[in-house]
Amino acid sequence: MPAPLSVPGVLLIFIIIFHVEALKPHLLGRHSVRTLRSVRSSSQQRDLFYKTFYFDQQIDHFGFLENGTFKQRYLVNDQHWHKAQGPILFYTGNEGDITWFCNNTGFMWDIAEELGAMLVFAEHRYYGESLPFGNESYSYLNYLTSEQALADFAVLITSLKKTLPRAQNSPVIAIGGSYGGMLAAWLRMKYPNVVIGALASSAPIWQFTDLVPYGDFYKIVTQDFANSGVNCSKNIRRSWTAINNLFSTAEGLQWLSKEFGLCSLLKEEDLYNFKGWLQETWVNLAMVDYPYEANFLQHLPRWPVKVVCKHLQFDTDVPDKQLLYGISQAVRVYYNYTGSAVCLNVSETATRSLGIMGWYYQSCTEMVMPMCTDGVQDMFEPMAWNFQAYSDECYALFGVRPREDWVDTVYGGKNIRSHSNIIFSNGDLDPWRSGGVNESLSDSLIAILIPEGAHHLDLRFNNEYDPQSVLLTRELEVMYFKKWIKQNTSS
Ligand SMILES: *[C@@H]1O[C@H](CO)[C@@H](O)[C@H](O)[C@H]1NC(C)=O
Ligand SMILES: *[C@@H]1O[C@H](CO)[C@@H](O)[C@H](O)[C@H]1NC(C)=O
Ligand SMILES: *[C@@H]1O[C@H](CO)[C@@H](O)[C@H](O)[C@H]1NC(C)=O
Ligand SMILES: *[C@@H]1O[C@H](CO)[C@@H](O)[C@H](O)[C@H]1NC(C)=O
Ligand SMILES: *[C@@H]1O[C@H](CO)[C@@H](O)[C@H](O)[C@H]1NC(C)=O
Ligand SMILES: *[C@@H]1O[C@H](CO)[C@@H](O)[C@H](O)[C@H]1NC(C)=O
Ligand SMILES: *[C@@H]1O[C@H](CO)[C@@H](O)[C@H](O)[C@H]1NC(C)=O
């Protein structure tokens, strides 16, 4: 794994704000039965039945000299599909193994029966098994772009509708979370002839050059920790200096390695990596601060940030070692909740189902998401946004330089009002809401804010610990789906 980018390569992941709370009476009145019935008592992974298919996909949709094809993987479940009229819910796969996203998008499974829907989960090129050049794909990265991925989805959907018996008139709704949510929204914008609408959950389509304040992302992470325990964010803010201090002696390095249960002994030159690892750990925790025990990036307890903060509720002037002992216990909540970690590996922060290398490349080309920290309004070491340094690292890694303005140009930046039928949902706890569409832009470009929501909580299975706000959000989303379907099947 490469050294993190200047701004650590965090993972992925909306115009009148839709105050979900205000809709409560209305929704409960009409849908209370479903809301109550659909709450499941188990957070266990359910058995999901799907068939796996491979589609011959063009390697290059936008030029004609490269005429090769590759096998794009997609998963299908049609057990509830009402042929000839039932919709197709189409998950626009993001940067990883599609079976993992399939397993973690319970919302689609929960609503399939009610909508009589077919479920399709399509893998993003260059991830999972959908490798354009087999095991050498990462030597030929030129065709890894969001535009190619969107074209894959559009071509696949068009083909499915042509070839599946009686699917010609099935309206298709795109659904995705995080980068997959960005793709769902963009698919609707670029191919409105192919999908009738999109649900873009926790999709930071505005986390790009000059669109939103660059400091908000890490501020939100900090707020989550500040709100989850006394002195929690303050002690994390202090930890960076304490780490610098311990890194200055051999004894300190040894103590740290042992205290954190690391797989290998820290060396002086690991300072940047070690701090980057911790920073990414806090970010990931904020992203997956779900109200119940879950296994997304890691296996975690319910409200993991609260659990982490229990280890950091002490005076803000304790000595370095006492402070870092607390940090080491806090970090274990993330890496060793199950008790099965033999040692902690500072080169790993999340599930291997994600394609880190591919995402780095995308970040180094189109997906330039500026962020910065100041150490005052956030709990991290100050780091300005430095596009030149970022670009230089990309060049060193991949021999390419990012184009920081391209996404604004190709996907419209903030000027997207002419589009329609897109729901942008975001959770208050999710740092990625910093780049999300936070106000509804029109009657059919709807923003929903979920007060107790972390990263795309609304896309997960119903759970007995779900806050009312996410249940209402899902109701609202289904309501819009039905409206779009009706609009598109009545004629
Ligand atoms: C693809 O390109 C090769 C090399 O130019 C050519 O031989 C082949 O006929 C082309 N195949 C198709 C399907 O166009
Ligand atoms: C998805 O869930 C199935 C069981 O339902 C499991 O066999 C599979 O390993 C899971 N895939 C991933 C990538 O977690
Ligand atoms: C790549 O795949 C080919 C054929 O599938 C195989 O012969 C080759 O050894 C593989 N290379 C690597 C580096 O795994
Ligand atoms: C949405 O976010 C922008 C900053 O990105 C902010 O200026 C604006 O006030 C926010 N709107 C609402 C309703 O929170
Ligand atoms: C938080 O830190 C302050 C200042 O050091 C201290 O007075 C207070 O007791 C701490 N709170 C807890 C719960 O440890
Ligand atoms: C993980 O937890 C288990 C059980 O408490 C413990 O034996 C093990 O040492 C822990 N691993 C690390 C790296 O702390
Ligand atoms: C740590 O993680 C890296 C990257 O996944 C891996 O290459 C390495 O083998 C791991 N080290 C240990 C001791 O597990």
Side-chain angles (χ1 to χ4, degrees):
M1 193 173 134
L5 302 177
S6 311
V7 170
V10 276
L11 312 171
L12 278 204
I13 31 80
F14 302 161
I15 306 194
I16 315 158
I17 279 213
F18 233 118
H19 282 289
V20 170
E21 288 303 317
L23 280 158
K24 205 182 253 180
H26 166 73
L27 286 170
L28 284 181
R30 290 183 44 215
H31 299 284
S32 56
V33 176
R34 196 182 88 96
T35 306
L36 298 176
R37 175 169 52 80
S38 62
V39 172
R40 259 168 256 282
S41 58
S42 159
S43 60
Q44 299 289 309
Q45 181 85 59
R46 282 197 272 142
D47 280 334
L48 306 176
F49 300 101
Y50 55 76
K51 290 201 189 103
T52 304
F53 298 95
Y54 297 86
F55 181 75
D56 284 322
Q57 193 63 263
Q58 211 68 49
I59 288 174
D60 185 6
H61 293 283
F62 304 108
F64 292 81
L65 292 174
E66 167 56 72
N67 66 6
T69 61
F70 71 99
K71 302 277 182 202
Q72 179 184 18
R73 179 166 59 159
Y74 65 101
L75 319 175
V76 176
N77 172 294
D78 61 2
Q79 76 191 98
H80 297 298
W81 189 41
H82 291 173
K83 291 196 176 63
Q85 54 182 20
I88 297 174
L89 303 181
F90 186 93
Y91 189 91
T92 46
N94 25 331
E95 72 280 22
D97 182 327
I98 192 63
T99 66
W100 182 67
F101 292 108
C102 171
N103 287 358
N104 281 287
T105 311
F107 175 61
M108 286 170 64
W109 296 91
D110 280 340
I111 64 173
E113 187 172 1
E114 179 178 351
L115 293 176
M118 180 193 308
L119 307 181
V120 178
F121 297 85
E123 194 157 64
H124 191 297
R125 54 168 60 205
Y126 284 88
Y127 296 101
E129 294 183 359
S130 300
L131 301 172
F133 303 97
N135 58 8
E136 291 180 359
S137 294
Y138 279 70
S139 306
Y140 303 97
L141 282 162
N142 201 36
Y143 303 102
L144 173 51
T145 65
S146 59
E147 292 91 331
Q148 298 276 11
L150 291 175
D152 290 343
F153 297 146
V155 168
L156 173 59
I157 292 169
T158 306
S159 163
L160 287 177
K161 289 185 66 164
K162 265 196 202 134
T163 54
L164 284 175
R166 309 180 69 185
Q168 291 90 322
N169 298 320
S170 289
V172 182
I173 295 173
I175 298 178
S178 204
Y179 170 51
M182 296 158 72
L183 293 170
W186 292 336
L187 189 65
R188 169 64 187 166
M189 294 180 196
K190 294 292 181 190
Y191 300 94
N193 51 323
V194 173
V195 294
I196 63 166
L199 167 57
S201 175
S202 296
I205 61 165
W206 287 343
Q207 190 68 48
F208 292 95
T209 306
D210 291 340
L211 295 184
V212 292
Y214 296 172
D216 282 2
F217 182 92
Y218 285 101
K219 265 194 232 172
I220 297 167
V221 177
T222 304
Q223 279 160 21
D224 291 352
F225 283 80
N227 294 334
S228 297
V230 180
N231 293 345
C232 190
S233 61
K234 287 182 186 153
N235 279 324
I236 293 177
R237 185 183 288 114
R238 280 190 63 224
S239 70
W240 312 112
T241 309
I243 291 169
N244 292 344
N245 293 343
L246 285 185
F247 258 78
S248 66
T249 68
E251 187 271 335
L253 284 167
Q254 202 149 45
W255 184 88
L256 272 178
S257 311
K258 182 155 172 287
E259 218 48 44
F260 278 78
L262 300 183
C263 299
S264 49
L265 213 56
L266 289 169
K267 295 189 283 297
E268 247 175 279
E269 61 267 29
D270 295 329
L271 179 61
Y272 182 84
N273 258 349
F274 182 68
K275 289 194 289 193
W277 175 71
L278 283 175
Q279 178 160 335
E280 212 171 302
T281 304
W282 306 137
V283 167
N284 286 354
L285 273 159
M287 275 170 58
V288 297
D289 196 14
Y290 296 129
Y292 45 84
E293 186 174 331
N295 185 1
F296 185 49
L297 300 176
Q298 295 277 358
H299 196 137
L300 296 174
R302 66 183 300 230
W303 294 123
V305 176
K306 277 207 179 76
V307 180
V308 161
C309 285
K310 285 214 173 79
H311 296 287
L312 296 170
Q313 294 188 57
F314 42 72
D315 269 28
T316 53
D317 47 17
V318 299
D320 289 349
K321 280 190 178 171
Q322 202 176 324
L323 169 60
L324 291 174
Y325 172 77
I327 297 277
S328 80
Q329 294 305 305
V331 156
R332 279 187 176 82
V333 172
Y334 185 75
Y335 291 107
N336 197 21
Y337 174 59
T338 57
S340 59
V342 177
C343 57
L344 307 192
N345 185 340
V346 298
S347 302
E348 283 188 343
T349 55
T351 170
R352 289 184 191 186
S353 293
L354 284 163
I356 306 266
M357 247 343 225
W359 184 250
Y360 271 13
Y361 177 79
Q362 290 196 263
S363 307
C364 277
T365 49
E366 296 181 308
M367 300 295 150
V368 183
M369 301 183 153
M371 289 177 190
C372 63
T373 50
D374 65 8
V376 178
Q377 290 179 284
D378 54 67
M379 61 186 189
F380 300 98
E381 289 188 299
M383 170 132 57
W385 169 245
N386 180 342
F387 178 73
Q388 192 54 50
Y390 184 94
S391 173
D392 290 346
E393 263 184 74
C394 287
Y395 192 77
L397 265 176
F398 298 109
V400 295
R401 290 198 180 275
R403 298 177 193 160
E404 60 179 331
D405 296 324
W406 176 238
V407 159
D408 294 4
T409 304
V410 73
Y411 297 123
K414 291 218 161 173
N415 300 317
I416 55 174
R417 277 168 215 267
S418 61
H419 299 291
S420 64
N421 293 3
I422 306 175
I423 303 166
F424 298 98
S425 60
N426 278 288
D428 234 358
L429 305 178
D430 180 18
W432 288 110
R433 90 172 142 80
S434 66
V437 176
N438 60 349
E439 307 172 359
S440 296
L441 295 170
S442 72
D443 284 355
S444 75
L445 294 177
I446 311 295
I448 303 178
L449 192 66
I450 308 166
E452 299 95 345
H455 204 42
H456 49 62
L457 175 63
D458 52 335
L459 291 191
R460 300 182 60 79
F461 279 112
N462 267 316
N463 184 286
E464 60 174 322
Y465 292 113
D466 273 330
Q468 198 54 226
S469 59
V470 78
L471 297 178
L472 290 166
T473 297
R474 292 184 188 130
E475 294 286 345
L476 200 54
E477 289 164 351
V478 169
M479 206 180 81
Y480 275 102
F481 290 177
K482 287 181 177 168
K483 187 174 158 191
W484 299 338
I485 293 166
K486 199 156 168 241
Q487 281 168 357
N488 280 273
T489 48
S490 54
S491 54

